Short mmCIF file of all heavy atoms in Angstrom, two decimals:
data_model
loop_
_atom_site.label_atom_id
_atom_site.label_comp_id
_atom_site.label_asym_id
_atom_site.label_seq_id
_atom_site.Cartn_x
_atom_site.Cartn_y
_atom_site.Cartn_z
N LYS Z 1 71.05 6.34 110.01
CA LYS Z 1 70.09 5.63 109.18
C LYS Z 1 70.49 4.23 109.10
O LYS Z 1 71.67 3.94 108.88
CB LYS Z 1 70.11 6.26 107.72
CG LYS Z 1 69.28 7.52 107.62
CD LYS Z 1 69.11 7.91 106.16
CE LYS Z 1 68.16 9.07 106.03
NZ LYS Z 1 67.92 9.41 104.62
N GLN Z 2 69.49 3.33 109.25
CA GLN Z 2 69.68 1.91 109.11
C GLN Z 2 68.53 1.42 108.17
O GLN Z 2 67.40 1.35 108.69
CB GLN Z 2 69.64 1.24 110.45
CG GLN Z 2 70.82 1.59 111.40
CD GLN Z 2 70.55 1.06 112.78
OE1 GLN Z 2 69.68 1.31 113.41
NE2 GLN Z 2 71.54 0.20 113.16
N GLY Z 3 68.89 1.06 106.94
CA GLY Z 3 67.88 0.69 105.96
C GLY Z 3 66.99 -0.40 106.43
O GLY Z 3 65.83 -0.50 106.08
N TYR Z 4 67.51 -1.37 107.29
CA TYR Z 4 66.74 -2.54 107.66
C TYR Z 4 65.73 -2.07 108.84
O TYR Z 4 64.81 -2.87 109.15
CB TYR Z 4 67.59 -3.68 108.09
CG TYR Z 4 68.25 -3.53 109.40
CD1 TYR Z 4 67.77 -4.04 110.58
CD2 TYR Z 4 69.58 -2.86 109.60
CE1 TYR Z 4 68.41 -3.90 111.85
CE2 TYR Z 4 70.14 -2.73 110.77
CZ TYR Z 4 69.59 -3.29 111.88
OH TYR Z 4 70.17 -3.08 113.14
N VAL Z 5 65.91 -0.93 109.36
CA VAL Z 5 65.04 -0.43 110.44
C VAL Z 5 63.96 0.57 109.86
O VAL Z 5 62.85 0.46 110.06
CB VAL Z 5 65.86 0.20 111.58
CG1 VAL Z 5 64.90 0.90 112.61
CG2 VAL Z 5 66.76 -0.77 112.25
N SER Z 6 64.52 1.55 109.13
CA SER Z 6 63.63 2.62 108.65
C SER Z 6 64.40 3.45 107.60
O SER Z 6 65.63 3.44 107.45
CB SER Z 6 63.33 3.58 109.81
OG SER Z 6 62.64 4.73 109.42
N GLU Z 7 63.60 4.15 106.78
CA GLU Z 7 64.14 5.01 105.82
C GLU Z 7 64.53 6.41 106.45
O GLU Z 7 65.29 7.21 105.86
CB GLU Z 7 63.17 5.32 104.68
CG GLU Z 7 63.01 4.06 103.80
CD GLU Z 7 61.92 4.32 102.68
OE1 GLU Z 7 61.57 5.39 102.46
OE2 GLU Z 7 61.53 3.28 102.07
N ASN Z 8 63.99 6.66 107.67
CA ASN Z 8 64.19 7.92 108.37
C ASN Z 8 65.52 7.87 109.22
O ASN Z 8 65.96 6.76 109.51
CB ASN Z 8 63.07 8.14 109.27
CG ASN Z 8 61.80 8.24 108.53
OD1 ASN Z 8 61.67 8.84 107.49
ND2 ASN Z 8 60.73 7.63 109.02
N TYR Z 9 65.90 9.02 109.62
CA TYR Z 9 66.99 9.04 110.63
C TYR Z 9 66.38 8.60 111.95
O TYR Z 9 65.23 8.84 112.29
CB TYR Z 9 67.48 10.48 110.81
CG TYR Z 9 68.58 10.81 109.79
CD1 TYR Z 9 68.26 11.49 108.65
CD2 TYR Z 9 69.88 10.44 109.95
CE1 TYR Z 9 69.23 11.92 107.65
CE2 TYR Z 9 70.85 10.77 109.01
CZ TYR Z 9 70.52 11.51 107.83
OH TYR Z 9 71.54 11.79 106.97
N VAL Z 10 67.19 7.88 112.67
CA VAL Z 10 66.83 7.31 114.00
C VAL Z 10 67.96 7.54 115.07
O VAL Z 10 69.09 7.97 114.63
CB VAL Z 10 66.46 5.80 113.88
CG1 VAL Z 10 65.24 5.61 113.04
CG2 VAL Z 10 67.60 5.03 113.38
N ASN Z 11 67.70 7.25 116.25
CA ASN Z 11 68.69 7.30 117.30
C ASN Z 11 69.46 6.03 117.32
O ASN Z 11 69.00 4.94 116.95
CB ASN Z 11 68.00 7.53 118.65
CG ASN Z 11 67.27 8.79 118.75
OD1 ASN Z 11 66.16 8.90 118.25
ND2 ASN Z 11 67.92 9.84 119.36
N VAL Z 12 70.63 6.07 117.89
CA VAL Z 12 71.39 4.81 118.18
C VAL Z 12 70.60 3.95 119.07
O VAL Z 12 69.93 4.52 120.12
CB VAL Z 12 72.76 5.19 118.86
CG1 VAL Z 12 73.46 4.00 119.44
CG2 VAL Z 12 73.66 5.90 117.82
N ALA Z 13 70.47 2.68 118.86
CA ALA Z 13 69.71 1.78 119.77
C ALA Z 13 70.23 0.33 119.66
O ALA Z 13 70.95 0.09 118.74
CB ALA Z 13 68.24 1.82 119.31
N GLY Z 14 69.89 -0.48 120.59
CA GLY Z 14 70.30 -1.82 120.52
C GLY Z 14 69.75 -2.65 121.76
O GLY Z 14 69.24 -2.10 122.77
N TYR Z 15 69.87 -3.88 121.59
CA TYR Z 15 69.37 -4.89 122.68
C TYR Z 15 70.32 -4.97 123.79
O TYR Z 15 71.57 -5.01 123.64
CB TYR Z 15 69.17 -6.24 122.02
CG TYR Z 15 68.02 -6.32 121.09
CD1 TYR Z 15 68.13 -6.21 119.74
CD2 TYR Z 15 66.74 -6.52 121.67
CE1 TYR Z 15 67.09 -6.25 118.91
CE2 TYR Z 15 65.64 -6.63 120.72
CZ TYR Z 15 65.83 -6.44 119.37
OH TYR Z 15 64.71 -6.51 118.56
N VAL Z 16 69.76 -5.09 125.02
CA VAL Z 16 70.55 -5.40 126.22
C VAL Z 16 70.91 -6.86 126.22
O VAL Z 16 70.02 -7.74 125.99
CB VAL Z 16 69.69 -5.10 127.53
CG1 VAL Z 16 70.39 -5.41 128.72
CG2 VAL Z 16 69.21 -3.63 127.53
N LYS Z 17 72.17 -7.06 126.32
CA LYS Z 17 72.74 -8.44 126.31
C LYS Z 17 72.62 -9.07 127.72
O LYS Z 17 72.69 -8.35 128.70
CB LYS Z 17 74.18 -8.51 125.79
CG LYS Z 17 74.31 -8.18 124.36
CD LYS Z 17 75.77 -8.25 123.93
CE LYS Z 17 75.91 -7.92 122.46
NZ LYS Z 17 77.32 -8.04 122.04
N ARG Z 18 72.56 -10.34 127.79
CA ARG Z 18 72.53 -11.09 129.09
C ARG Z 18 73.73 -10.64 129.92
O ARG Z 18 74.83 -10.59 129.43
CB ARG Z 18 72.59 -12.56 128.84
CG ARG Z 18 72.44 -13.41 130.14
CD ARG Z 18 72.60 -14.85 129.83
NE ARG Z 18 71.52 -15.26 128.91
CZ ARG Z 18 70.46 -15.98 129.22
NH1 ARG Z 18 70.36 -16.42 130.49
NH2 ARG Z 18 69.60 -16.29 128.37
N GLY Z 19 73.51 -10.27 131.21
CA GLY Z 19 74.54 -9.86 132.13
C GLY Z 19 74.99 -8.42 132.01
O GLY Z 19 75.83 -7.96 132.78
N GLU Z 20 74.32 -7.62 131.11
CA GLU Z 20 74.71 -6.34 130.85
C GLU Z 20 73.65 -5.33 131.50
O GLU Z 20 72.44 -5.68 131.38
CB GLU Z 20 74.76 -6.11 129.35
CG GLU Z 20 75.36 -4.86 128.86
CD GLU Z 20 75.52 -4.85 127.30
OE1 GLU Z 20 74.51 -5.08 126.63
OE2 GLU Z 20 76.59 -4.60 126.88
N THR Z 21 74.06 -4.20 132.10
CA THR Z 21 73.09 -3.29 132.54
C THR Z 21 72.66 -2.37 131.37
O THR Z 21 73.36 -2.33 130.35
CB THR Z 21 73.71 -2.38 133.62
OG1 THR Z 21 74.73 -1.53 132.99
CG2 THR Z 21 74.29 -3.18 134.76
N PRO Z 22 71.56 -1.75 131.48
CA PRO Z 22 71.12 -0.86 130.38
C PRO Z 22 72.14 0.26 130.10
O PRO Z 22 72.44 0.62 128.93
CB PRO Z 22 69.76 -0.32 130.76
CG PRO Z 22 69.21 -1.43 131.73
CD PRO Z 22 70.42 -1.96 132.39
N GLU Z 23 72.71 0.78 131.19
CA GLU Z 23 73.69 1.83 131.03
C GLU Z 23 74.93 1.31 130.27
O GLU Z 23 75.43 2.02 129.39
CB GLU Z 23 74.12 2.35 132.46
CG GLU Z 23 73.12 3.10 133.17
CD GLU Z 23 72.08 2.21 133.95
OE1 GLU Z 23 72.19 1.00 133.87
OE2 GLU Z 23 71.17 2.74 134.58
N ASN Z 24 75.34 0.08 130.57
CA ASN Z 24 76.52 -0.46 129.84
C ASN Z 24 76.13 -0.66 128.39
O ASN Z 24 76.95 -0.50 127.48
CB ASN Z 24 76.98 -1.76 130.45
CG ASN Z 24 77.61 -1.56 131.81
OD1 ASN Z 24 77.37 -2.39 132.69
ND2 ASN Z 24 78.42 -0.62 132.00
N THR Z 25 74.90 -1.07 128.16
CA THR Z 25 74.44 -1.29 126.78
C THR Z 25 74.48 0.09 125.99
O THR Z 25 74.87 0.08 124.84
CB THR Z 25 72.96 -1.81 126.76
OG1 THR Z 25 72.98 -3.08 127.48
CG2 THR Z 25 72.52 -2.10 125.30
N ALA Z 26 73.99 1.11 126.67
CA ALA Z 26 74.02 2.48 125.97
C ALA Z 26 75.47 2.87 125.57
O ALA Z 26 75.74 3.20 124.45
CB ALA Z 26 73.43 3.52 126.91
N VAL Z 27 76.40 2.62 126.45
CA VAL Z 27 77.83 2.98 126.14
C VAL Z 27 78.33 2.13 125.02
O VAL Z 27 78.98 2.63 124.09
CB VAL Z 27 78.66 2.81 127.45
CG1 VAL Z 27 80.10 2.86 127.16
CG2 VAL Z 27 78.30 3.79 128.60
N ARG Z 28 78.04 0.79 125.11
CA ARG Z 28 78.51 -0.05 124.06
C ARG Z 28 77.85 0.21 122.69
O ARG Z 28 78.58 0.34 121.69
CB ARG Z 28 78.13 -1.56 124.44
CG ARG Z 28 78.49 -2.58 123.40
CD ARG Z 28 78.15 -3.96 123.78
NE ARG Z 28 76.77 -4.20 124.17
CZ ARG Z 28 75.73 -4.28 123.33
NH1 ARG Z 28 75.87 -4.13 122.04
NH2 ARG Z 28 74.50 -4.51 123.83
N GLU Z 29 76.59 0.47 122.69
CA GLU Z 29 75.96 0.74 121.36
C GLU Z 29 76.41 2.08 120.75
O GLU Z 29 76.57 2.14 119.53
CB GLU Z 29 74.38 0.76 121.58
CG GLU Z 29 73.73 -0.58 121.75
CD GLU Z 29 73.82 -1.47 120.57
OE1 GLU Z 29 73.97 -1.06 119.47
OE2 GLU Z 29 73.66 -2.70 120.78
#
């Protein structure tokens, strides 16, 4: 739960940073 995103339960998520692959972003997040 992240109050600034939603009152509901959500999945882990985040932005892909410059130079990062989506797979690396998933691991990092």
Side-chain angles (χ1 to χ4, degrees):
K1 277 191 174 182
Q2 296 174 297
Y4 74 96
V5 173
S6 172
E7 294 178 10
N8 301 316
Y9 276 99
V10 297
N11 297 80
V12 167
Y15 288 95
V16 177
K17 292 181 178 179
R18 184 182 302 252
E20 193 174 52
T21 67
E23 292 82 1
N24 293 139
T25 303
V27 170
R28 177 181 53 77
E29 287 292 339

